[in-house]
Amino acid sequence: MEGFLMADKKRNYNDDGKMTVEEAGRKGGEATARNHDKEFYEEIGRKGGEATSKNHDREFYEEIGQKGGEARANQRENDNDHNGKMSKAEAGRKGGEARARQRDND
């Protein structure tokens, strides 16, 4: 077990003994999670969504909706039985278009 812990510690530090960016991010994320509640994350998510909405146009939302739908469809490409439901790609495309229309009306 001791060898495993040493290997794990080496992986988290650079050759010069300094913490890697990944390790610093992990530790920072853990500290943030300990110090903040659900409402904190909801608030920063809302603020991020508002900033994204201000900085991007309709085409941006259509593109990410399309990409999300395609990614989801690729995850399930072996599941060809949709039982009469629309494909994941189609759902993503429609979701992106709906969000773009919603943004245009804001």
Side-chain angles (χ1 to χ4, degrees):
M1 183 75 171
E2 185 176 315
F4 174 76
L5 293 175
M6 287 300 294
D8 190 45
K9 184 172 180 145
K10 283 183 181 180
R11 189 173 37 240
N12 295 327
Y13 290 83
N14 293 322
D15 292 337
D16 60 3
K18 293 183 178 179
M19 187 182 305
T20 63
V21 172
E22 292 83 2
E23 179 66 3
R26 184 186 66 77
K27 286 186 171 190
E30 289 173 353
T32 301
R34 282 191 305 271
N35 294 319
H36 296 284
D37 59 8
K38 179 182 173 185
E39 287 76 24
F40 168 80
Y41 289 101
E42 289 172 349
E43 178 71 7
I44 63 173
R46 184 187 59 74
K47 287 180 178 180
E50 288 174 358
T52 300
S53 180
K54 288 178 185 174
N55 293 318
H56 295 285
D57 59 8
R58 176 186 180 123
E59 289 77 26
F60 169 80
Y61 286 99
E62 289 175 353
E63 183 179 341
I64 64 171
Q66 179 68 31
K67 286 181 180 180
E70 289 171 0
R72 185 69 177 116
N74 289 337
Q75 288 175 343
R76 303 278 183 157
E77 70 182 11
N78 294 330
D79 182 17
N80 293 327
D81 183 18
H82 294 291
N83 296 324
K85 298 178 183 176
M86 76 173 77
S87 71
K88 307 297 191 275
E90 178 71 2
R93 184 185 63 74
K94 287 186 174 188
E97 290 172 354
R99 178 61 186 108
R101 282 191 305 276
Q102 182 185 34
R103 185 183 181 285
D104 287 346
N105 292 329
D106 287 346

